[in-house]
Amino acid sequence: MAVLAERMQQRWPMRDWKAHAGMGLLYLLLTVWSLDMRLEEPPVPMVWPATGVLLAYVYHYGYRLAISGALFGVLAQFQLGAGPMDALVLGAAGGAAAMAGARLLRATDFGPRLQRIRDVLLLLAVGALASALISAVLGGLVLAGLSSRLPEVFGLCLLADFMGMLILSPVLMTMLRRPRGDFSLNPEGWALLLLAPGIALAVYSLGLPFMMTLPASYALFPVLMYAAIRQPPWLVALLTLLVAGVALHCTALGGGPFAQSGMRHDLLSMHAQVAMLALTGLLLAALRAERQAAENAARQHLSNLARAGRLNAMSTLAAGIAHEVNQPLCAVNSYAQAARRMVERDEGGQPLREALDRIVSGTERASDIVRRTRGYLREESAQHQPQQLNALIEEALALLGPELRRQQVTLKLDLAPGLPTVLASGIELHQVVVNLVQNAVEAMGVSRSPEQRWVGVQTRLSAGGDAICLRVSDNGPGLPPGDRRALFEPLFGSRPQGTGMGLCIVRSIVDAHHGRLEANNLPGAGACFHIRLPVTGEALDG
Amino acid sequence: MAEQARVYLVDDDDDVRDAVSFLLRSEGLAVDAFATPDALLAAVAPDSAGCLVLDVRLPGMDGLELQGALRARGVHMPIIFITGHGDIPMAVRAVNAGAMDFLEKPFRDQHLLNQIHKALAADAAARNEDARRLDVERRLQSLTPREREVMERMLEGKLNKVIAWELDVSIRTVEVHRARVLEKLNARNSSEMVRAVLSTEAYRSWLL
């Protein structure tokens, strides 16, 4: 029985009863509100929000909402004094309009979060327009019949429907899409939520002189633009709705700069401003969201690229690292076998203890190397934290050690003690050092005898004390003449085995750390790369 | 024997060097361990006895170059190379150039000890051989010119009467010289004498 009851509840139309109820409540409240804006003749409200509400709910919850929407429409029209037949047609017209608009939007790649210009345009030019057309044609026919007034009534209905859509469907679309209850705002959001309707009330309801209120009404544009740039689209849509609601309502009641010569004329002027306000906010918010999405994609792309670069570097370093792990293993192996012989001979005491101690320290050394390697390859978001640059450099050089020895390159390390920290991602700065040193080693590969191969790594505090300078220099053939900036372009690489991304990745990382990267040739030696990283301003240590 | 036989170990990795020294010492071998090829070259001489255990990848000089430098200084102790990952081609070349063996790290202790004992035995045998050869060369110096002429003809396998005819002396005289040669060269018979003499530097070419 309980199962049956549950099944019954899930059956249409019991499912989503909250959505049905919410929509009905909004529908009725807004319809009552719109009555204040109804013209004497023809009896058409200048804003008809019901269609916008239906479109958003039907799009979000599905077509079955259109049926209850139509029922609410019939109820509302009946209460407003329409004949039963008229009420029936008008209600059905609202449902059909919402269904058609939602159907069209679903056929496109419309995104209800309105985070692309495309979404805003689709909503207004496809969904809202189709919905408004259907609603207006049927509404016009009911109100005016096939008389000479049909075009006028049709035009007014179309305008009222479209305005309702413009101010209501964006806010409902974006807010219904939010995860339940997630309408948290930062203080700035709350301030805007008070400020924008506040300005609207001041302009439209305080009865200030026309000379002041007309210019003041335009003050809402910068407020809304600011919100569009800083706040999520749903808040922008909500602000638009509140401002438009205040402005339209007050104008209909005869307040504000647009209330001059009768409701029809006043509200038409008001509509123009509201429409521009809404479009400005929605398009700007979408533009901002698009730019943010592009930036995120670029950042993700860079992070993938950097990881590919690390994998690439690691493949070159792999032989050296294998050797580096093998050494302690070899030592551990020898001690263990010596210890076994001692135990077999029943020897013990100090020598056995020493062997065991050395086994422990050898395994620690090996696992250190493994941890370092894994740390270099891990795929973590590059969090910026205060870091000791010198420590990062030493870690990276430890990774490069075997390769330097194999290539018989001397390391000239000159790290200034007691440097302040830099705000950085450790894993990314590792990569900068690895890439630059690897480049230097490879540049010298053939052109210098082993005694002449060196790589210099130097850190210094800048003269002003506000930055750390890292220099990586070598004794190779130096940089080719020509445009130094081209060095850091993708695919510049001159080495046949390189990916051409090494220096490009270095530059991107340095940029992301608000640093500067320069390259030149040292007199009497090879290339030199300078990196300047701003310090965090935390206290010096050591 | 000039010196006690030792194992000369060169590895630039402190842990590995300590570990291998520890293992060998715990087996009662005398070990001299060095971190660099130069330190080894400063410590060994042609009369050093024992064997060499060398890492093929060393700072400043690879295993092959060190092998060449040792040979150039007259150090002929057997060499066992130990190799890390990926140095196999170099180890193969080293063996082709005369190294006794190469072991890949980490190695089995028994294998290393076996190879070291084999190398020490080979070095001792070579040193014995050298000592014998030096002895024969010293004895050759004591031959008179006539005895040397007889001895050289004996090397050619000539009969007493042919030697007598060639030197224009009596067969009896040849027999006396022949006995003196065998006595001076400490040989029981002529074939033992021939083998000893042919092992010396001066008469090696007579083999051809």
Side-chain angles (χ1 to χ4, degrees), chain A residues 209-211 213-214 251 254-263 265-267 269:
Chain A
F210 176 75
M211 291 284 284
T213 53
L214 184 66
T251 305
F258 293 93
Q260 299 294 325
S261 54
M263 181 169 341
H265 183 262
D266 296 350
L267 279 180
S269 315

Side-chain angles (χ1 to χ4, degrees), chain A residues 36 68 126 206 210 212 253 263 459:
Chain A
D36 281 341
S68 56
V126 176
L206 286 187
F210 176 75
M212 276 173 67
L253 296 180
M263 181 169 341
T459 53

Side-chain angles (χ1 to χ4, degrees), chain A residues 319-393:
Chain A
I321 288 165
H323 177 79
E324 199 77 337
V325 175
N326 205 29
Q327 294 289 77
L329 280 186
C330 175
V332 164
N333 188 38
S334 293
Y335 281 119
Q337 298 187 89
R340 190 174 60 189
R341 286 165 176 280
M342 289 174 176
V343 170
E344 278 165 9
R345 289 190 303 240
D346 266 345
E347 293 174 13
Q350 192 49 42
L352 184 59
R353 175 175 297 276
E354 188 197 341
L356 294 175
D357 285 347
R358 300 294 295 254
I359 288 170
V360 171
S361 66
T363 51
E364 279 167 358
R365 179 179 157 195
S367 69
D368 260 359
I369 299 163
V370 171
R371 192 168 48 240
R372 221 157 54 207
T373 311
R374 210 164 36 202
Y376 187 66
L377 290 178
R378 74 187 167 240
E379 188 174 18
E380 66 174 25
S381 68
Q383 290 282 320
H384 287 203
Q385 289 166 342
Q387 304 268 9
Q388 292 288 342
L389 185 60
N390 285 351
L392 291 177
I393 290 173

Side-chain angles (χ1 to χ4, degrees), chain A residues 423-510:
Chain A
L423 203 59
S425 144
I427 185 168
E428 290 189 350
L429 285 192
H430 272 166
Q431 189 166 12
V432 166
V433 175
V434 168
N435 278 5
L436 289 180
V437 172
Q438 241 178 352
N439 268 358
V441 168
E442 280 165 22
M444 284 182 298
V446 284
S447 61
R448 291 286 185 272
S449 65
E451 300 78 54
Q452 291 173 310
R453 286 182 212 147
W454 54 259
V455 176
V457 178
Q458 187 193 57
T459 53
R460 286 285 180 274
L461 193 61
S462 69
D466 59 342
I468 296 181
C469 303
L470 163 65
R471 266 169 40 133
V472 177
S473 50
D474 63 53
N475 195 24
L479 302 171
D483 190 358
R484 290 280 147 73
R485 277 171 306 177
L487 279 178
F488 305 111
E489 296 298 323
L491 309 177
F492 174 80
S494 51
R495 285 175 287 111
Q497 73 276 27
T499 57
M501 300 307 293
L503 285 177
C504 173
I505 292 170
V506 168
R507 190 198 57 181
S508 313
I509 292 175
V510 171

Side-chain angles (χ1 to χ4, degrees), chain A residues 60-291:
Chain A
H60 186 75
Y61 288 101
Y63 299 125
R64 59 185 181 282
L65 270 282
I67 296 173
S68 56
L71 290 176
F72 282 118
V74 173
L75 192 67
Q77 293 294 344
F78 201 64
Q79 288 295 316
L80 291 180
M85 198 57 209
D86 287 356
L88 215 56
V89 174
L90 287 172
M99 226 190 261
R103 177 77 193 82
L104 278 173
L105 285 179
R106 290 192 171 187
T108 64
D109 69 340
F110 170 71
R113 289 194 178 83
L114 303 182
Q115 294 196 322
R116 299 175 303 167
I117 300 272
R118 187 181 170 74
D119 296 334
V120 176
L121 295 181
L122 278 173
L123 174 63
L124 299 180
V126 176
L129 197 61
S131 213
L133 272 175
I134 292 175
S135 168
V137 166
L138 293 173
L141 282 173
V142 167
L143 292 173
L146 287 174
S147 68
S148 60
R149 295 182 48 213
L150 178 59
E152 185 199 359
V153 175
F154 167 74
L156 285 171
C157 283
L158 186 63
L159 187 67
D161 276 323
F162 194 81
M163 283 309 295
M165 238 80 58
L166 183 60
I167 61 176
L168 271 160
S169 46
V171 65
L172 289 175
M173 290 261 185
T174 49
M175 289 181 79
L176 287 174
R177 209 26 88 141
R178 305 286 301 168
R180 193 169 296 262
D182 180 16
F183 293 104
S184 54
L185 279 178
N186 57 13
E188 189 181 271
W190 286 111
L192 284 165
L193 206 50
L194 292 178
L195 182 66
I199 294 178
L201 279 171
V203 169
Y204 291 97
S205 71
L206 286 187
L208 298 170
F210 176 75
M211 291 284 284
M212 276 173 67
T213 53
L214 184 66
S217 72
Y218 288 95
L220 288 164
F221 278 87
V223 173
L224 213 65
M225 285 159 88
Y226 182 79
I229 288 166
R230 306 266 303 188
Q231 298 291 333
W234 69 264
L235 182 65
V236 179
L238 182 61
L239 291 175
T240 311
L241 171 66
L242 293 175
V243 166
V246 169
L248 289 169
H249 193 79
C250 294
T251 305
L253 296 180
F258 293 93
Q260 299 294 325
S261 54
M263 181 169 341
R264 182 192 292 217
H265 183 262
D266 296 350
L267 279 180
L268 280 177
S269 315
M270 192 65 245
H271 279 355
Q273 207 199 30
V274 166
M276 281 202 291
L277 200 60
L279 275 176
T280 306
L282 288 175
L283 288 176
L284 207 56
L287 198 66
R288 204 269 310 227
E290 268 184 8
R291 205 182 69 176

Side-chain angles (χ1 to χ4, degrees), chain B residues 134-145:
Chain B
L134 288 171
D135 182 49
V136 174
E137 277 167 5
R138 192 167 40 75
R139 288 167 187 274
L140 279 174
Q141 302 300 319
S142 66
L143 298 183
T144 64

